Amino acid sequence: MSLSDDPLFLQEMADVTPIKHQHQTQTAQTWPNPLRVTDAQLAKRAAAEQHELLPLLPTDPYLFKPLKPDDVVSYKMDGIQDEVFTQLRLGKYRFNTVLDLHQYRLLQARETLLNYVLSAYENGERNILVIHGKGYKSKPYAALMKSAVCHWLRFIEPVTAYHSATKECGGVGALFVMLKKSQQKRIENGELNRKGRGFR
């Protein structure tokens, strides 16, 4: 007595469950979004930009235009609308990043400022607060850190404008800093606009 081929095959395969559908589902779930920039890519890009920008940011105190501790300071690139700049000056824009440079030496302050600005920019932030202090007793001249920060910000590419903060946020010892819209945010906004048009 012997079993035919078909019953023997069915007997051997009785406890086997199909996996084809499950495999396809897992594959579909793990496909990366080609437009999404990863954290590692953002960090690599910021590090490259920092390496390129550092030589443009001197730490010699005599290369800065000396400011006075109580000076109100401001700067804006060409193309920034007056109304937008007024809103910045009045502290109307929300910020998440706050950098306090009190007690920093110039070398450390330069690298920290650059890192914070580039990180905020890559994360899509448009405004940050930088606290430099007034520096009445700083050497070799008063307002050294304030003078340095105002000089450096003009050479950090994502920065489009800055203005002394409102009294509530530090007054002339701090700056509201405006940044360009990051490339990632431009892509995300483009996707939202396309989706919005699709529902009309």
Side-chain angles (χ1 to χ4, degrees):
M1 294 178 61
S2 63
L3 295 172
S4 65
D5 290 342
D6 287 345
L8 181 60
F9 175 77
L10 293 174
Q11 181 180 346
E12 292 294 326
M13 300 298 290
D15 61 346
V16 176
T17 57
I19 62 171
K20 184 176 180 181
H21 177 71
Q22 179 182 1
H23 175 73
Q24 289 176 338
T25 302
Q26 290 177 345
T27 302
Q29 291 176 343
T30 56
W31 283 347
N33 180 350
L35 297 177
R36 182 65 184 168
V37 180
T38 66
D39 290 341
Q41 289 171 319
L42 292 177
K44 186 175 181 181
R45 184 189 303 167
E49 291 176 355
Q50 182 172 350
H51 179 73
E52 292 176 1
L53 286 170
L54 275 176
L56 301 176
L57 311 179
T59 54
D60 182 342
Y62 296 103
L63 294 178
F64 311 135
K65 176 184 176 182
L67 300 171
K68 294 179 180 178
D70 295 313
D71 281 349
V72 173
V73 295
S74 65
Y75 161 80
K76 68 172 181 172
M77 292 180 62
D78 291 339
I80 301 298
Q81 297 177 356
D82 291 339
E83 182 179 348
V84 171
F85 191 67
T86 298
Q87 295 297 305
L88 176 70
R89 176 176 62 81
L90 296 175
K92 299 298 185 180
Y93 295 123
R94 186 179 61 185
F95 53 84
N96 294 321
T97 295
V98 178
L99 172 59
D100 188 344
L101 294 174
H102 278 104
Q103 310 303 322
Y104 278 50
R105 295 184 179 274
L106 285 180
L107 188 62
Q108 184 186 14
R110 177 186 68 166
E111 295 182 6
T112 304
L113 176 68
L114 183 54
N115 182 57
Y116 266 68
V117 169
L118 294 178
S119 295
Y121 168 71
E122 293 293 351
N123 287 328
E125 296 182 43
R126 298 298 308 279
N127 297 276
I128 66 173
L129 177 69
V130 177
I131 303 170
H132 47 66
K134 297 179 182 179
Y136 287 113
K137 298 180 180 179
S138 61
K139 303 292 182 182
Y141 53 81
L144 174 60
M145 184 63 71
K146 178 176 184 172
S147 303
V149 169
C150 289
H151 179 90
W152 292 334
L153 286 174
R154 293 173 182 243
F155 291 92
I156 301 178
E157 201 272 335
V159 175
T160 60
Y162 63 73
H163 196 284
S164 293
T166 56
K167 185 177 181 180
E168 297 76 18
C169 292
V172 293
L175 291 171
F176 293 134
V177 181
M178 180 179 289
L179 309 177
K180 292 180 180 178
K181 184 179 292 185
S182 70
Q183 183 62 29
Q184 179 62 21
K185 282 297 179 184
R186 292 179 191 276
I187 292 172
E188 292 174 2
N189 288 345
E191 289 178 330
L192 289 174
N193 288 336
R194 284 193 295 274
K195 289 177 182 178
R197 286 195 295 267
F199 287 111
R200 290 177 183 176

